[in-house]
Amino acid sequence: MARIKVDGNTSIYALAGKYISFSPVPEFFNQISSFTGYNSVMIPVSTERYGIKPILDSLIKTNCRGVLIDTPHRCELNDWLTSVSDEANNCGAVNIVRIEEDGSIHGHNTEISAFRRAFPKITSEELREKKIFIFGTGGIARAVAFACALEKCAGITIANHNPHKARQLCALLNDKFGNIAMAADFNAPETIHGFYNADIIIQATSVGMFPKFDVQPLPEHFNFMSHHIVFDTIYNPPQTKLMYMAEKRGCRVYNGMDIMFYNCFEAFRWWTGIKVDEENEKKLFNIWKDLIYNI
Amino acid sequence: MARIKVDGNTSIYALAGKYISFSPVPEFFNQISSFTGYNSVMIPVSTERYGIKPILDSLIKTNCRGVLIDTPHRCELNDWLTSVSDEANNCGAVNIVRIEEDGSIHGHNTEISAFRRAFPKITSEELREKKIFIFGTGGIARAVAFACALEKCAGITIANHNPHKARQLCALLNDKFGNIAMAADFNAPETIHGFYNADIIIQATSVGMFPKFDVQPLPEHFNFMSHHIVFDTIYNPPQTKLMYMAEKRGCRVYNGMDIMFYNCFEAFRWWTGIKVDEENEKKLFNIWKDLIYNI
């Protein structure tokens, strides 16, 4: 439990999303505050009834200073904010906003840098020169795809249940980074080649997330090969159905738990300007493990 | 510092008012939550920019479950709420609302019962059969006046910079309790008699509150007598100018600190249904003292 003292000068932050009831993020953010002595508290705010924009309006009125934008709202805000950072603007996903005293709202994306930092730490692998296969085109998928491109991966294949969105995201990536991305059509030979020849397969949709854990996005006939590194951005359940299938085929599998650790750090830093040094980061990583490995 | 764990199921409560930046109430409410294991967190919400009604609307949208209504909003809400308890309706002051899942808002007054409980504990005096002189007609003054009437005091004289409001409040009291209250006009002989013959003088306006601590509501020529028990509902500063003047004249003087302790308890109980037993109440009183005697 975080030790925090809420007084009249405490800054309020919020986690806003549709599926946040099991999220460890408010508690971990409060642990970072407690650890650094920053006077703030994060509260959870469900967007289920009102949607993200009326919730943001309400949070502005109640003096909230920043909001983490959770699933499924990362791609809804770009045109609505006072300003959007280059990272968020380029990838089309805002996962964090900062609210100034004058009520202006500034959007940013911390998931790109969090993924770039976290992936090599978690997997001991570089993204550089790897062939990547990504499921999804939502906020997380966009951040992951941009992170892979920025890390100079060899190429990205993007699969989505709505192929139009996959083509749009590929066009955006190709426009920024040259011809590196290809939208997948599961029946097309080049998609099938792309899947088997991928080094890293990244699941970045909400398919398989609690409570619907008995589903996975891979179509029939697609089988993991033992050389695949399989990364699921979901963290609850800790082992998704996709991860289970991949593990059975001998793959190295990872989940999204520790991405979120780095994302909380990046978010805290963007809001407060406070950079936690490496030694304290290690201590906080132990707190994070206690927290998230027990949900 | 309260040890609390904020997760997706944590209930949010708020303290809403214009002058809350130094309030110890959120921290103490969080201490009660921590102590009882109730999963909630209280945040401060300033009403300075938007006023109380837009703030309440915003808090409803962000799933807040209850709000303590602080100065100067206790008399603004009666006609606006879904329901108002008899206590709050009778005295015309709502100091607490509970928000149901369907968005309905229910108002109540916990300051009447808090004052009835706290006054004898703090002063070792009963209100029964005492002659009371009250400054103010706002939310706190109303709660104090009703508490005195319910405790069967001998009579109440009410002074206010707006005498019309004092007459209205007296009419309300006389209507409920028989002929016990009289509005003061500082130049009228019966007011002067009322002042000197009072047993207990209660200051229930915001005059003298931080940061304007160099003022007090007593007009020229009015002097405290050593038999007066002087109670100031303000707690910051701990000794108001009025209390200083009274003490110099040999009076027993008390401030509003511990009223708020009992009020937090009554509020917590009304919201959650949880009654803290006497032993734990004593432990929490020590926490309260550590908190409030150090602001």
Side-chain angles (χ1 to χ4, degrees), chain B residues 54 128 168 193 223 278:
Chain B
R128 188 179 173 87
Q168 276 186 325
H193 286 295
N223 285 308
E278 266 191 43

Side-chain angles (χ1 to χ4, degrees), chain B residues 8-28:
Chain B
N9 296 308
T10 301
S11 298
I12 312 300
Y13 292 85
L15 170 72
K18 204 167 167 185
Y19 314 108
I20 58 170
S21 65
F22 290 88
S23 176
V25 168
E27 169 67 7
F28 186 60

Side-chain angles (χ1 to χ4, degrees), chain A:
Chain A
M1 289 191 188
R3 290 175 72 92
I4 48 178
K5 183 170 177 179
V6 179
D7 60 35
N9 296 311
T10 301
S11 299
I12 312 299
Y13 292 85
L15 170 72
K18 203 167 169 186
Y19 314 108
I20 58 171
S21 63
F22 291 87
S23 176
V25 168
E27 169 66 8
F28 185 60
F29 188 86
N30 294 335
Q31 292 274 10
I32 303 179
S33 292
S34 162
F35 208 86
T36 57
Y38 183 72
N39 187 3
S40 68
V41 62
M42 183 179 279
I43 59 170
V45 180
S46 169
T47 56
E48 195 155 11
R49 192 179 296 180
Y50 296 102
I52 189 67
K53 288 172 190 171
I55 289 295
L56 270 183
D57 268 335
S58 296
L59 289 169
I60 292 167
K61 286 210 175 75
T62 53
N63 305 320
C64 182
R65 295 266 69 92
V67 185
L68 276 173
I69 308 298
D70 209 296
T71 307
H73 306 298
R74 288 178 184 83
C75 303
E76 289 176 39
L77 294 173
N78 289 44
D79 300 336
W80 189 76
L81 304 171
T82 315
S83 82
V84 176
S85 72
D86 286 346
E87 292 94 320
N89 201 33
N90 285 342
C91 89
V94 167
N95 80 301
I96 182 168
V97 300
R98 185 174 65 218
I99 303 164
E100 301 290 349
E101 294 229 4
D102 62 7
S104 63
I105 327 175
H106 306 277
H108 183 43
N109 190 306
T110 55
E111 287 172 332
I112 301 172
S113 55
F115 192 79
R116 292 177 76 179
R117 276 195 75 197
F119 189 87
K121 294 209 183 200
I122 296 166
T123 63
S124 304
E125 294 281 348
E126 298 295 319
L127 292 161
R128 188 179 173 86
E129 294 181 10
K130 295 294 193 307
K131 294 186 284 294
I132 319 276
F133 192 99
I134 297 174
F135 292 101
T137 58
I140 296 276
R142 283 164 178 267
V144 164
F146 270 74
C148 294
L150 287 163
E151 290 293 323
K152 303 194 191 312
C153 69
I156 307 170
T157 308
I158 297 177
N160 198 49
H161 66 95
N162 178 337
H164 174 64
K165 285 193 176 171
R167 283 194 294 274
Q168 275 186 325
L169 177 53
C170 289
L172 202 64
L173 285 159
N174 290 335
D175 183 47
K176 293 278 168 210
F177 299 99
N179 192 28
I180 60 158
M182 182 185 81
D185 169 348
F186 283 115
N187 293 316
E190 59 266 34
T191 298
I192 301 171
H193 285 297
F195 178 80
Y196 288 106
N197 285 290
D199 301 301
I200 299 166
I201 293 173
I202 300 172
Q203 201 298 106
T205 74
S206 56
V207 174
M209 194 159 79
F210 180 87
K212 292 184 183 166
F213 44 73
D214 202 27
V215 284
Q216 58 81 25
L218 207 60
E220 212 182 354
H221 305 309
F222 278 72
N223 285 308
F224 289 113
M225 299 283 120
S226 61
H227 73 275
H228 286 146
I229 294 168
V230 177
F231 196 101
D232 198 323
T233 59
I234 288 173
Y235 66 91
N236 188 9
Q239 189 190 50
T240 59
K241 184 164 179 189
L242 188 91
M243 287 166 67
Y244 172 77
M245 287 164 59
E247 202 161 43
K248 268 206 324 192
R249 303 277 300 183
C251 305
R252 286 160 57 198
V253 296
Y254 303 95
N255 69 20
M257 283 182 176
D258 299 335
I259 298 288
M260 208 188 296
F261 169 79
Y262 290 100
N263 190 48
C264 287
F265 258 79
E266 297 285 320
F268 185 78
R269 190 170 148 195
W270 188 65
W271 277 330
T272 67
I274 297 169
K275 180 159 169 30
V276 180
D277 64 34
E278 266 192 43
E279 196 180 322
N280 284 327
E281 187 179 305
K282 272 183 199 155
K283 289 181 192 160
L284 276 162
F285 190 65
N286 289 328
I287 292 174
W288 171 256
K289 279 196 295 190
D290 280 348
L291 195 65
I292 194 153
Y293 290 77
N294 293 320
I295 59 171

